């Protein structure tokens, strides 16, 4: 009798355990939500979508807002499916994290307003304003002799990425021509200083070694900067130093979009 009672108890415990496990599994499955946003499917957790009370997504999940379903029974939201990736990442991370070079701030701000995410909308607008301000600020790159600052070239532009592009090219070429890099020249945020920067009979060169090994002539550097700028859609403004009568002979170049 005792064995039968024990067996029944074990069976009941197994049933209860299986029942609890089944309930947990069922609850976990129902916590997963599939959204069809403009034809793109996203699967996430209920708690992610309801993170911000009174938002559009929270209203859908909790039944405050009516939302149509697609043919497969998923919530259908007629918005930009690609941009929704950033909406969902914001809900997951609690902060705005965008890929480098992101240029759709206005569209993302509109999406944030539609989904009634005020915090995200403000974050996007703040980011956009900072980018607008940065684009109006003039940045520069100065290539000069560490012993004589009057020898060299200054490149001005209202796009920091263009300055960075020219700078990286000069450093890349210099590295390929130098065995002792970075001893022969130093690089800071806006200045490249060469240890030896002299004039020779063949024109101004960035001389790096006693045997007159050079990176390039300043004239070539100016020409490359101008061609690169034009290809990137920039305009060359009047030289900042027109006293020499020619862009090739000027000490500075100024580009703007």
């Amino acid at each position: 009798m005792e064995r039968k009672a024990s067996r029944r108890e074990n069976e009941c415990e197994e049933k209860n355990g299986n029942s609890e496990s089944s309930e947990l599994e069922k609850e976990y499955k129902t916590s997963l939500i599939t959204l069809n946003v403009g034809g793109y499917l996203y699967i996430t957790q209920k708690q992610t979508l309801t993170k911000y009370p009174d938002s559009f997504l929270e209203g859908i999940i909790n039944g405050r807002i009516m939302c149509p379903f697609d043919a497969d029974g998923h919530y259908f939201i007629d918005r930009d499916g690609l941009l929704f990736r950033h909406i969902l990442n914001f809900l997951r991370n609690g902060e705005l994290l965008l890929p480098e070079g992101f240029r759709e701030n206005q569209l993302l701000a509109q999406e944030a307003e539609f989904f009634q995410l005020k915090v995200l909308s403000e974050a996007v607008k703040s980011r956009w304003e900072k980018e607008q301000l940065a684009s109006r600020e003039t940045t520069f790159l100065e290539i000069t002799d560490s012993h004589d600052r009057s020898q060299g070239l200054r490149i001005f532009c209202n796009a920091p990425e263009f300055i960075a592009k020219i700078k990286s090219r000069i450093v890349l070429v210099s590295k390929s021509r130098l065995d002792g890099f970075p001893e022969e020249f130093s690089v800071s945020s806006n200045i490249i200083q060469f240890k030896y920067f002299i004039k020779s009979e063949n024109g101004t060169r960035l001389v790096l070694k006693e045997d007159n090994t050079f990176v390039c002539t300043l004239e070539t550097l100016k020409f490359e900067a101008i061609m690169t700028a034009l290809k990137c859609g920039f305009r060359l403004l009047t030289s900042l130093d027109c006293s020499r009568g020619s862009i090739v002979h000027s000490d500075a170049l100024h580009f703007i979009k």
Side-chain angles (χ1 to χ4, degrees), residues 47 51 73 84 94-95 100 108 111-112 120 131 143 196 214 219 223 256:
Q47 65 187 43
K51 187 173 184 178
F84 187 74
E95 61 178 320
E100 185 177 351
L108 184 56
E111 295 302 296
L120 174 58
E131 286 186 353
I143 303 120
Y196 301 106
F214 65 93
E219 286 75 15
F223 180 76
I256 193 171

PDB file of all heavy atoms in Angstrom, residues 47 51 73 84 94-95 100 108 111-112 120 131 143 196 214 219 223 256:
ATOM      1  N   GLN A  47       7.778  42.571 -23.736  1.00  0.00           N
ATOM      2  CA  GLN A  47       8.293  43.564 -22.803  1.00  0.00           C
ATOM      3  C   GLN A  47       9.106  44.657 -23.504  1.00  0.00           C
ATOM      4  O   GLN A  47       9.186  45.789 -23.023  1.00  0.00           O
ATOM      5  CB  GLN A  47       9.140  42.887 -21.730  1.00  0.00           C
ATOM      6  CG  GLN A  47      10.408  42.229 -22.268  1.00  0.00           C
ATOM      7  CD  GLN A  47      11.128  41.417 -21.216  1.00  0.00           C
ATOM      8  OE1 GLN A  47      10.488  40.691 -20.463  1.00  0.00           O
ATOM      9  NE2 GLN A  47      12.445  41.547 -21.156  1.00  0.00           N
ATOM     10  N   LYS A  51       7.866  48.857 -23.498  1.00  0.00           N
ATOM     11  CA  LYS A  51       8.828  49.517 -22.602  1.00  0.00           C
ATOM     12  C   LYS A  51       8.425  50.948 -22.270  1.00  0.00           C
ATOM     13  O   LYS A  51       8.630  51.427 -21.153  1.00  0.00           O
ATOM     14  CB  LYS A  51      10.220  49.498 -23.247  1.00  0.00           C
ATOM     15  CG  LYS A  51      11.325  50.011 -22.350  1.00  0.00           C
ATOM     16  CD  LYS A  51      12.679  49.798 -22.993  1.00  0.00           C
ATOM     17  CE  LYS A  51      13.809  50.214 -22.067  1.00  0.00           C
ATOM     18  NZ  LYS A  51      15.131  49.961 -22.678  1.00  0.00           N
ATOM     19  N   GLY A  73      -1.282  36.430 -39.895  1.00  0.00           N
ATOM     20  CA  GLY A  73      -1.722  36.727 -38.535  1.00  0.00           C
ATOM     21  C   GLY A  73      -0.788  37.604 -37.736  1.00  0.00           C
ATOM     22  O   GLY A  73      -0.933  37.721 -36.518  1.00  0.00           O
ATOM     23  N   PHE A  84      12.626  50.869 -39.188  1.00  0.00           N
ATOM     24  CA  PHE A  84      12.097  50.309 -37.942  1.00  0.00           C
ATOM     25  C   PHE A  84      13.180  49.560 -37.161  1.00  0.00           C
ATOM     26  O   PHE A  84      13.076  49.401 -35.945  1.00  0.00           O
ATOM     27  CB  PHE A  84      10.923  49.366 -38.228  1.00  0.00           C
ATOM     28  CG  PHE A  84      10.228  48.898 -36.977  1.00  0.00           C
ATOM     29  CD1 PHE A  84       9.410  49.758 -36.259  1.00  0.00           C
ATOM     30  CD2 PHE A  84      10.416  47.602 -36.502  1.00  0.00           C
ATOM     31  CE1 PHE A  84       8.784  49.337 -35.087  1.00  0.00           C
ATOM     32  CE2 PHE A  84       9.786  47.174 -35.336  1.00  0.00           C
ATOM     33  CZ  PHE A  84       8.969  48.046 -34.632  1.00  0.00           C
ATOM     34  N   GLY A  94      17.660  51.367 -25.051  1.00  0.00           N
ATOM     35  CA  GLY A  94      17.348  52.539 -24.254  1.00  0.00           C
ATOM     36  C   GLY A  94      18.141  53.768 -24.633  1.00  0.00           C
ATOM     37  O   GLY A  94      18.118  54.787 -23.937  1.00  0.00           O
ATOM     38  N   GLU A  95      18.849  53.708 -25.756  1.00  0.00           N
ATOM     39  CA  GLU A  95      19.606  54.857 -26.253  1.00  0.00           C
ATOM     40  C   GLU A  95      19.702  54.793 -27.768  1.00  0.00           C
ATOM     41  O   GLU A  95      19.523  53.740 -28.378  1.00  0.00           O
ATOM     42  CB  GLU A  95      21.005  54.890 -25.635  1.00  0.00           C
ATOM     43  CG  GLU A  95      21.856  53.677 -25.950  1.00  0.00           C
ATOM     44  CD  GLU A  95      23.238  53.780 -25.345  1.00  0.00           C
ATOM     45  OE1 GLU A  95      23.818  54.887 -25.363  1.00  0.00           O
ATOM     46  OE2 GLU A  95      23.759  52.757 -24.853  1.00  0.00           O
ATOM     47  N   GLU A 100      27.659  54.406 -38.515  1.00  0.00           N
ATOM     48  CA  GLU A 100      28.481  55.520 -38.993  1.00  0.00           C
ATOM     49  C   GLU A 100      28.025  55.933 -40.388  1.00  0.00           C
ATOM     50  O   GLU A 100      27.757  55.116 -41.247  1.00  0.00           O
ATOM     51  CB  GLU A 100      29.952  55.094 -39.024  1.00  0.00           C
ATOM     52  CG  GLU A 100      30.901  56.218 -39.382  1.00  0.00           C
ATOM     53  CD  GLU A 100      32.358  55.788 -39.330  1.00  0.00           C
ATOM     54  OE1 GLU A 100      32.623  54.675 -38.845  1.00  0.00           O
ATOM     55  OE2 GLU A 100      33.204  56.559 -39.781  1.00  0.00           O
ATOM     56  N   LEU A 108      13.927  59.367 -39.753  1.00  0.00           N
ATOM     57  CA  LEU A 108      13.878  58.651 -38.476  1.00  0.00           C
ATOM     58  C   LEU A 108      13.105  59.466 -37.435  1.00  0.00           C
ATOM     59  O   LEU A 108      12.373  58.903 -36.623  1.00  0.00           O
ATOM     60  CB  LEU A 108      15.286  58.346 -37.979  1.00  0.00           C
ATOM     61  CG  LEU A 108      15.381  57.502 -36.696  1.00  0.00           C
ATOM     62  CD1 LEU A 108      14.635  56.180 -36.857  1.00  0.00           C
ATOM     63  CD2 LEU A 108      16.844  57.238 -36.340  1.00  0.00           C
ATOM     64  N   GLU A 111       9.511  58.870 -38.041  1.00  0.00           N
ATOM     65  CA  GLU A 111       9.108  57.549 -37.561  1.00  0.00           C
ATOM     66  C   GLU A 111       8.965  57.556 -36.040  1.00  0.00           C
ATOM     67  O   GLU A 111       8.030  56.964 -35.495  1.00  0.00           O
ATOM     68  CB  GLU A 111      10.133  56.492 -37.985  1.00  0.00           C
ATOM     69  CG  GLU A 111      10.238  56.280 -39.492  1.00  0.00           C
ATOM     70  CD  GLU A 111       8.912  55.871 -40.104  1.00  0.00           C
ATOM     71  OE1 GLU A 111       8.400  54.788 -39.774  1.00  0.00           O
ATOM     72  OE2 GLU A 111       8.365  56.653 -40.908  1.00  0.00           O
ATOM     73  N   ALA A 112       9.874  58.216 -35.368  1.00  0.00           N
ATOM     74  CA  ALA A 112       9.823  58.292 -33.903  1.00  0.00           C
ATOM     75  C   ALA A 112       8.547  58.991 -33.442  1.00  0.00           C
ATOM     76  O   ALA A 112       7.915  58.579 -32.455  1.00  0.00           O
ATOM     77  CB  ALA A 112      11.052  59.022 -33.368  1.00  0.00           C
ATOM     78  N   LEU A 120      12.993  59.276 -28.111  1.00  0.00           N
ATOM     79  CA  LEU A 120      13.744  58.978 -29.329  1.00  0.00           C
ATOM     80  C   LEU A 120      13.681  60.152 -30.291  1.00  0.00           C
ATOM     81  O   LEU A 120      14.688  60.516 -30.913  1.00  0.00           O
ATOM     82  CB  LEU A 120      13.184  57.720 -30.003  1.00  0.00           C
ATOM     83  CG  LEU A 120      13.784  57.356 -31.363  1.00  0.00           C
ATOM     84  CD1 LEU A 120      15.292  57.154 -31.252  1.00  0.00           C
ATOM     85  CD2 LEU A 120      13.122  56.106 -31.927  1.00  0.00           C
ATOM     86  N   GLU A 131      24.874  67.719 -36.203  1.00  0.00           N
ATOM     87  CA  GLU A 131      25.466  67.478 -37.519  1.00  0.00           C
ATOM     88  C   GLU A 131      25.367  68.724 -38.394  1.00  0.00           C
ATOM     89  O   GLU A 131      26.301  69.041 -39.132  1.00  0.00           O
ATOM     90  CB  GLU A 131      24.778  66.297 -38.202  1.00  0.00           C
ATOM     91  CG  GLU A 131      25.144  64.950 -37.629  1.00  0.00           C
ATOM     92  CD  GLU A 131      24.554  63.801 -38.418  1.00  0.00           C
ATOM     93  OE1 GLU A 131      23.749  64.065 -39.341  1.00  0.00           O
ATOM     94  OE2 GLU A 131      24.894  62.639 -38.121  1.00  0.00           O
ATOM     95  N   ILE A 143      49.697  71.277 -43.459  1.00  0.00           N
ATOM     96  CA  ILE A 143      50.885  70.471 -43.723  1.00  0.00           C
ATOM     97  C   ILE A 143      52.060  71.432 -43.684  1.00  0.00           C
ATOM     98  O   ILE A 143      52.123  72.380 -44.474  1.00  0.00           O
ATOM     99  CB  ILE A 143      50.807  69.786 -45.097  1.00  0.00           C
ATOM    100  CG1 ILE A 143      49.539  68.933 -45.183  1.00  0.00           C
ATOM    101  CG2 ILE A 143      52.022  68.918 -45.348  1.00  0.00           C
ATOM    102  CD1 ILE A 143      48.616  69.321 -46.276  1.00  0.00           C
ATOM    103  N   TYR A 196      61.786  67.551 -42.147  1.00  0.00           N
ATOM    104  CA  TYR A 196      62.543  68.301 -43.147  1.00  0.00           C
ATOM    105  C   TYR A 196      61.592  68.698 -44.265  1.00  0.00           C
ATOM    106  O   TYR A 196      60.970  67.854 -44.888  1.00  0.00           O
ATOM    107  CB  TYR A 196      63.691  67.467 -43.704  1.00  0.00           C
ATOM    108  CG  TYR A 196      64.656  67.029 -42.659  1.00  0.00           C
ATOM    109  CD1 TYR A 196      64.687  65.708 -42.227  1.00  0.00           C
ATOM    110  CD2 TYR A 196      65.524  67.948 -42.068  1.00  0.00           C
ATOM    111  CE1 TYR A 196      65.559  65.303 -41.244  1.00  0.00           C
ATOM    112  CE2 TYR A 196      66.416  67.538 -41.081  1.00  0.00           C
ATOM    113  CZ  TYR A 196      66.429  66.224 -40.673  1.00  0.00           C
ATOM    114  OH  TYR A 196      67.282  65.823 -39.696  1.00  0.00           O
ATOM    115  N   PHE A 214      61.406  61.878 -51.273  1.00  0.00           N
ATOM    116  CA  PHE A 214      60.310  62.782 -50.971  1.00  0.00           C
ATOM    117  C   PHE A 214      58.960  62.093 -51.116  1.00  0.00           C
ATOM    118  O   PHE A 214      58.813  61.076 -51.781  1.00  0.00           O
ATOM    119  CB  PHE A 214      60.355  64.008 -51.881  1.00  0.00           C
ATOM    120  CG  PHE A 214      60.122  63.691 -53.339  1.00  0.00           C
ATOM    121  CD1 PHE A 214      58.841  63.757 -53.888  1.00  0.00           C
ATOM    122  CD2 PHE A 214      61.177  63.334 -54.166  1.00  0.00           C
ATOM    123  CE1 PHE A 214      58.636  63.462 -55.223  1.00  0.00           C
ATOM    124  CE2 PHE A 214      60.972  63.037 -55.499  1.00  0.00           C
ATOM    125  CZ  PHE A 214      59.705  63.100 -56.038  1.00  0.00           C
ATOM    126  N   GLU A 219      52.853  71.153 -55.199  1.00  0.00           N
ATOM    127  CA  GLU A 219      51.989  71.401 -56.352  1.00  0.00           C
ATOM    128  C   GLU A 219      51.118  70.173 -56.649  1.00  0.00           C
ATOM    129  O   GLU A 219      49.927  70.286 -56.932  1.00  0.00           O
ATOM    130  CB  GLU A 219      52.838  71.754 -57.579  1.00  0.00           C
ATOM    131  CG  GLU A 219      53.454  73.153 -57.562  1.00  0.00           C
ATOM    132  CD  GLU A 219      54.633  73.255 -56.609  1.00  0.00           C
ATOM    133  OE1 GLU A 219      55.146  72.191 -56.193  1.00  0.00           O
ATOM    134  OE2 GLU A 219      55.019  74.390 -56.266  1.00  0.00           O
ATOM    135  N   PHE A 223      47.024  69.829 -56.385  1.00  0.00           N
ATOM    136  CA  PHE A 223      46.241  69.327 -57.518  1.00  0.00           C
ATOM    137  C   PHE A 223      45.363  68.147 -57.090  1.00  0.00           C
ATOM    138  O   PHE A 223      44.182  68.077 -57.428  1.00  0.00           O
ATOM    139  CB  PHE A 223      47.178  68.906 -58.658  1.00  0.00           C
ATOM    140  CG  PHE A 223      46.456  68.369 -59.860  1.00  0.00           C
ATOM    141  CD1 PHE A 223      45.805  69.231 -60.728  1.00  0.00           C
ATOM    142  CD2 PHE A 223      46.417  67.013 -60.113  1.00  0.00           C
ATOM    143  CE1 PHE A 223      45.121  68.741 -61.845  1.00  0.00           C
ATOM    144  CE2 PHE A 223      45.738  66.507 -61.212  1.00  0.00           C
ATOM    145  CZ  PHE A 223      45.094  67.374 -62.075  1.00  0.00           C
ATOM    146  N   ILE A 256      34.086  74.198 -50.217  1.00  0.00           N
ATOM    147  CA  ILE A 256      32.779  74.227 -49.586  1.00  0.00           C
ATOM    148  C   ILE A 256      31.766  73.490 -50.461  1.00  0.00           C
ATOM    149  O   ILE A 256      31.924  73.418 -51.683  1.00  0.00           O
ATOM    150  CB  ILE A 256      32.325  75.696 -49.342  1.00  0.00           C
ATOM    151  CG1 ILE A 256      31.119  75.720 -48.404  1.00  0.00           C
ATOM    152  CG2 ILE A 256      32.011  76.384 -50.663  1.00  0.00           C
ATOM    153  CD1 ILE A 256      30.750  77.125 -47.944  1.00  0.00           C
TER     154      ILE A 256
END
